Amino acid sequence: MPPLPPSGSPRPATQADVAREVGVSRTLVSFAFRNAPGVSEVTRQAIFEAARRLGYRPNSVAADLARKRASAIGLYLLDLHNEVYADIFTGVREALAGSGSRVILAAGRAGSEPDEEVGPLVEARAGVVIAATLTSPDAHVLELAGMVPIVSVARRIEGMDSVYSDDAAGARAAVEHLLGLGHARIVHLAGPGVDGNLERRIAYESAMHDAGLSPRVVAAPSHSFESGEATAAGFLAASDRPTAVFAHNDQLALGVREAALALGLTIPGDLSVVGYDDSRGARLRGIDLTSVDLHAHQLGAAAGAAALARLRFPSEPAVDECSAPRLVVRASTAPPHD
């Protein structure tokens, strides 16, 4: 049994306290905070003012229990160090503005399983979880969706709400850009080979085969800048150094850039580099990274709208929304010297 608060310590204000202060029923206070009909604007403002005066904060979880339905939306972001997830978050937040749904945030961490992060969102009574992005096999994610509806962002999973960009088209555009510049020795710096993470690699291999060239895939242990730098340092120092690298994301691409500069290579003189995501880092002056824009902000907004729709209409068919990416050519790519 938890210890009692010290004698004389302030007790948190309740709806009953607010009701006594205003001279109305506790039910009317509850209606006011739920924005339910039947409360005049004058009374509503009096209730809100009394609540501010008393320091009352509504308990959203308790309100959900009383209504017997969840109003919260969980948001799982794979990597807070990757700017693309900040853009997705901004889109989600804008889509949910004014909806009355609170957002519960969870973030991935190195070595964790996605259900370790999604689990607390279920325990916190999230009615829907927006996941950007889960890396478990499809079957595993579908099991999680049996506990709570999931909106998958940047990855299509058949049978659940999915909002994503056409990775195959984006990757092919990146590789064909390098081929068009005259590159033949193009390395694809891939991330870990997990479900939902293979479309870019497959499209790269297909484009290289179509050009009559042998693909060369090097897998980094993670999608981080540090992983890209360490992995690229190896193949850039080899005698068969590529003239171009297409990286799975901008973080890896920026790691490649750092490794190249450390070896005394110039970009794009000695090495052309293409990323994916078109993050803010890619657009910085002096970086000017050629990258594929998957429109992360729009993906977040679409995911937020899909989550609200799932809360309101739980039995509707799954959303399957695919957008077209766009290659943004900047100063990190040029024809090869040799």
Side-chain angles (χ1 to χ4, degrees):
M1 180 176 180
L4 294 173
S7 177
S9 63
R11 174 180 60 83
T14 65
Q15 284 191 357
D17 296 327
V18 176
R20 279 193 297 270
E21 182 79 4
V22 181
V24 298
S25 69
R26 191 197 63 77
T27 300
L28 202 64
V29 172
S30 175
F31 280 8
F33 279 102
R34 286 160 47 193
N35 201 28
V39 185
S40 72
E41 189 57 32
V42 171
T43 301
R44 189 186 309 277
Q45 292 307 316
I47 288 171
F48 290 167
E49 177 57 35
R52 280 192 294 271
R53 211 163 44 242
L54 296 172
Y56 168 71
R57 293 176 62 87
N59 187 327
S60 300
V61 174
D64 284 352
L65 288 169
R67 290 195 298 266
K68 294 184 172 58
R69 68 178 179 84
S71 63
I73 292 178
L75 176 58
Y76 171 81
L77 302 176
L78 178 65
D79 182 6
L80 289 181
H81 296 94
N82 189 333
E83 292 174 341
V84 72
Y85 293 104
D87 293 337
I88 290 172
F89 172 76
T90 300
V92 170
R93 183 179 58 190
E94 290 178 3
L96 300 184
S99 68
S101 292
R102 59 195 173 95
V103 178
I104 308 170
L105 181 64
R109 55 187 172 81
S112 67
E113 290 293 329
D115 55 345
E116 292 178 30
E117 312 301 343
V118 174
L121 298 178
V122 177
E123 294 168 7
R125 292 187 57 80
V128 176
V129 170
I130 299 172
T133 51
L134 294 175
T135 57
S136 290
D138 287 2
H140 191 177
V141 179
L142 288 167
E143 284 180 13
L144 290 176
M147 296 189 291
V148 60
I150 293 176
V151 178
S152 177
V153 186
R155 172 183 175 185
R156 181 180 184 273
I157 301 178
E158 189 170 355
M160 73 167 55
D161 293 322
S162 301
V163 177
Y164 56 100
S165 179
D166 188 342
D167 274 0
R172 179 167 280 274
V175 179
E176 288 180 349
H177 167 66
L178 293 172
L179 292 170
L181 290 173
H183 291 279
R185 300 201 308 275
I186 305 170
V187 162
H188 175 49
L189 181 55
V194 295
D195 278 12
N197 194 27
L198 300 176
E199 288 295 322
R200 299 172 195 178
R201 172 177 178 163
I202 293 169
Y204 156 80
E205 292 174 334
S206 174
M208 292 290 283
H209 284 307
D210 289 349
L213 299 170
S214 298
R216 181 181 173 191
V217 177
V218 179
S222 77
H223 294 105
S224 69
F225 171 93
E226 294 79 8
S227 183
E229 182 181 11
T231 306
F235 65 74
L236 290 180
S239 58
D240 59 346
R241 172 173 59 82
T243 62
V245 176
F246 165 48
H248 178 86
N249 67 5
D250 285 350
Q251 289 292 305
L252 288 174
L254 293 173
V256 171
R257 179 182 182 275
E258 192 70 12
L261 296 177
L263 289 169
L265 303 176
T266 62
I267 295 173
D270 297 313
L271 182 73
S272 285
V273 182
V274 179
Y276 206 111
D277 290 340
D278 196 35
S279 59
R280 280 168 286 183
R283 302 192 292 267
L284 292 175
R285 292 186 183 91
I287 301 293
D288 296 315
L289 179 69
T290 296
S291 184
V292 179
D293 185 0
L294 50 61
H295 310 295
H297 180 274
Q298 291 92 323
L299 286 181
L308 288 175
R310 183 58 55 202
L311 274 178
R312 294 166 183 162
F313 308 106
S315 300
E316 287 293 299
V319 169
D320 190 315
E321 187 171 330
C322 180
S323 60
R326 178 176 66 98
L327 178 68
V328 182
V329 178
R330 298 192 181 93
S332 70
T333 51
H337 278 178
D338 53 357

